């Protein structure tokens, strides 16, 4: 199988250019001394998540006459908004297929980027997208199972290696594994001494299981849907799982309470809004058994339900010193 | 009176180096088309506020043998943490004088940066600091009334002009006016076509009043303490007011509700945590009568009380479309 290369990622970095924010690494003063921590805050991207990188590379790489016929995506989450936004910056039409159970706020956000939104029953999602492609000649932009998407997400790894060449541990959220596929490819090329560790919710820990067994996991959609980390409910494709097997050093999981704890800490001590899917890496930093050393936690996004966020801020468990001390020992 | 120059600010930029995060400009997709908006997110600095820039320049500029005797500050807010943190990075002692009514959480945070904290009655704050200076030979680092502090804050203006050379409007929070003094000096040198507009809470609108009358304002401490923007309760010094008179184009004020509205919008649409003092510029963007054009809102900090933040997230007024439409017309 043809895997993404560092050359693909270098080309993606040049291609995505100013459509993407060059996020800085944010040092965390609250980190443990033997494990200094930096955040890679991808929630600061225009649509609030890293997905804009893959979308910008995949759409940017289309020949202009193909791109002009428009792009299509089926997703209700950050990928939908990323495709809609990038299409708008290119002045080409975008059609996003969402399901009847998609929250109105996400539909509105996607429409807000100028996309046409098709609302269909869940079972008809893929066929509806295929019909749009067949009818208009548009191009389907998949959320993770595509080399151009993987290369786009990999630009995060390039930036980490450029900003912190002696990084020792890189923590990356894992869902369909497009993000970690790109980041790990870049890190192993540019900072090969660093360990790349994938993080999943325990309740959607299918890739962690597959990493141990060597077999691509096969958890049911219902099982993976149990976590509050709604961006981490996908499962790797053959392409992304091959990247995980080749480039990822370890996989760890975190509990739902640990994810909430990390969201509170990130808001109050690092002044960023993290969605559950984006906070899993900080949760792992606090609670998983990880190697010591200079650590970067990729925060993948910040589109959290305000009510959940308020509830977490109100409970404030993360400010209890005893809790914090235990956490910072990395137990 | 000797005002800060662009040369002072250039020198500060070189001096503060990697103690400070080079914050990116964050484009806001929710902005009005005729007034594109970028945030300058200074809440992403290590202590959660821009104050680290002035402290790093002032402490960095001390001769090494003077700096070794330590630094002193009296403050309970972001400046205290900035001085404590920068002193720690230089390996020199810091003594921070706080008052008996300072919240325990702020005392702990300051101690957490390795500073010695003296707790004294409010009336004894300045004399206690003077005693520390006399006893140990340390150097007092004032929060805004000092050319080196102004030059350090001015590096924000340099970065704005470098990242967005055709910026047309720069919105800056005003309290003691050290921040806007530095930013306006830099903008008028590097992007002189841009208008620099100061923003205050209506309840602490002393500088806005002084800007109209030409006289340095003289509001009581009690009057200025009415706003929830606890970082905007100071009043300009002769030095900073001279900068405001020379370089600032206009001053506007915002209400307490407008500040809360902006905090909610920033959290849910731009994924950053803003304290009331940092959100006033976004509030002005939404609600004040401002010139059209490419606008940058300086977000000065993100150290907000979690309970207040949760309360704002729960009310959600900023998501009502009618409200948002009114807001975005800039009425």
């Amino acid at each position: 199988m043809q895997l993404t290369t560092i050359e693909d990622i270098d080309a993606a970095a040049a291609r995505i250019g100013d459509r993407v924010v060059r996020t800085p690494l944010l040092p965390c003063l609250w980190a443990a001394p033997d494990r200094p921590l930096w955040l890679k805050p991808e929630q600061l991207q225009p649509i609030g998540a890293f997905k804009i990188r893959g979308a910008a590379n995949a759409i940017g790489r289309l020949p202009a006459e193909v791109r002009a016929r428009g792009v299509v995506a089926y997703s209700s989450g950050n990928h939908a908004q990323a495709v809609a936004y990038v299409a708008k910056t290119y002045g080409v039409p975008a059609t996003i297929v969402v399901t009847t159970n998609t929250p109105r706020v996400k539909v509105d956000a996607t429409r807000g980027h100028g996309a046409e939104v098709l609302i269909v029953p869940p079972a008809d999602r893929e066929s509806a997208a295929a019909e749009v492609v067949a009818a208009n000649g548009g191009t389907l932009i998949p959320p993770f199972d595509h080399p151009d998407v993987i290369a786009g997400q990999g630009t995060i790894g390039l930036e980490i290696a450029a900003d912190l060449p002696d990084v020792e541990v890189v923590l990356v959220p894992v869902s369909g594994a497009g993000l970690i596929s790109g980041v790990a490819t870049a890190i192993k090329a540019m900072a090969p001494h660093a360990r790349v560790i994938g993080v999943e919710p325990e309740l959607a820990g299918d890739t962690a299981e597959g990493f141990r067994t060597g077999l691509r996991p096969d958890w049911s959609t219902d099982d993976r849907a149990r976590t509050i980390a709604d961006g981490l409910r996908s499962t790797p494709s053959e392409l992304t799982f091959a990247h995980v097997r080749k480039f990822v050093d370890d996989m760890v999981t975190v509990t739902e309470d640990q994810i909430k704890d990390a969201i509170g800490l990130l808001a109050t001590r690092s002044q960023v809004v993290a969605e559950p899917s984006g906070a899993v890496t900080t949760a792992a930093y606090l609670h998983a058994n990880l190697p010591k050393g200079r650590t970067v936690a990729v925060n993948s996004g910040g589109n959290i339900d305000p009510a959940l966020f308020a509830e977490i801020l109100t409970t404030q468990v993360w400010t209890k010193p005893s809790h914090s001390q235990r956490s910072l020992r990395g137990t």
Side-chain angles (χ1 to χ4, degrees), chain A:
Chain A
M1 191 178 302
Q2 178 75 40
L3 301 193
T4 298
T5 67
I6 187 66
E7 290 75 22
D8 298 329
I9 299 173
D10 281 335
R15 190 173 292 121
I16 64 183
D18 61 6
R19 284 180 172 79
V20 170
V21 171
R22 176 62 164 84
T23 52
L25 290 181
L26 305 180
C28 297
L29 302 190
W30 48 266
D34 58 346
R35 296 193 296 142
L37 178 68
W38 288 259
L39 304 179
K40 181 66 170 170
E42 288 294 301
Q43 58 268 79
L44 303 181
Q45 296 296 346
I47 58 132
F50 77 98
K51 290 279 187 182
I52 194 171
R53 295 178 184 259
N57 189 51
I59 296 173
R61 220 187 147 205
L62 295 174
E65 67 279 12
V66 174
R67 188 166 54 226
R69 291 198 290 273
V71 293
V72 182
Y74 51 89
S75 158
S76 60
N78 293 327
H79 177 63
Q81 292 195 50
V83 169
Y85 172 69
V86 172
K88 183 179 170 185
T89 68
Y90 275 108
V92 303
T95 306
I96 309 294
V97 179
V98 306
T99 54
T100 42
N101 56 357
T102 301
R104 173 67 181 268
V105 60
K106 293 197 173 182
V107 173
D108 288 348
T110 305
R111 282 207 181 102
H113 301 309
E116 182 180 354
V117 176
L118 286 187
I119 304 178
V120 303
D124 299 346
R125 200 170 73 150
E126 296 191 32
S127 60
E131 278 170 32
V132 174
V133 168
N136 304 343
T139 303
L140 184 72
I141 308 293
F144 57 87
D145 189 24
H146 193 287
D148 295 340
V149 174
I150 292 172
Q153 322 304 28
T155 57
I156 294 171
L158 276 191
E159 294 174 7
I160 292 170
D163 290 353
L164 193 72
D166 55 355
V167 60
E168 293 168 278
V169 180
V170 180
L171 305 175
V172 188
V174 172
S175 180
L179 173 58
I180 199 170
S181 292
V183 170
T185 302
I187 292 291
K188 292 301 173 183
M190 306 304 292
H193 49 277
R195 291 171 65 82
V196 177
I197 299 177
V199 185
E200 285 181 312
E202 207 171 276
L203 294 181
D206 57 332
T207 308
E209 184 188 283
F211 185 81
R212 310 268 174 249
T213 63
L215 299 172
R216 188 155 75 93
D218 185 28
W219 288 28
S220 73
T221 308
D222 282 353
D223 275 355
R224 287 183 269 120
R226 292 171 301 165
T227 177
I228 57 167
D230 56 322
L232 302 185
R233 294 171 179 167
S234 293
T235 196
S237 66
E238 287 191 22
L239 178 63
T240 59
F241 193 64
H243 285 81
V244 169
R245 296 260 290 157
K246 175 158 183 187
F247 292 122
V248 172
D249 295 289
D250 203 357
M251 291 282 313
V252 299
T253 61
V254 293
T255 68
E256 303 290 294
D257 280 348
Q258 289 167 350
I259 295 170
K260 291 184 185 175
D261 185 47
I263 290 169
L265 184 71
L266 288 165
T268 56
R269 302 297 304 280
S270 287
Q271 287 72 44
V272 294
V273 179
E275 61 185 87
S277 309
V280 293
T281 49
T282 304
Y285 174 86
L286 292 169
H287 300 284
N289 190 12
L290 297 176
K292 303 272 182 267
R294 297 159 73 88
T295 303
V296 170
V298 176
N299 268 231
S300 52
N303 294 318
I304 184 173
D305 173 58
L308 171 63
F309 192 26
E311 176 203 311
I312 290 170
L313 288 167
T314 309
T315 56
Q316 289 193 304
V317 289
W318 68 93
T319 57
K320 290 180 190 164
S322 64
H323 177 89
S324 173
Q325 282 163 20
R326 179 175 59 77
S327 299
L328 293 180
R329 281 204 304 273
T331 56

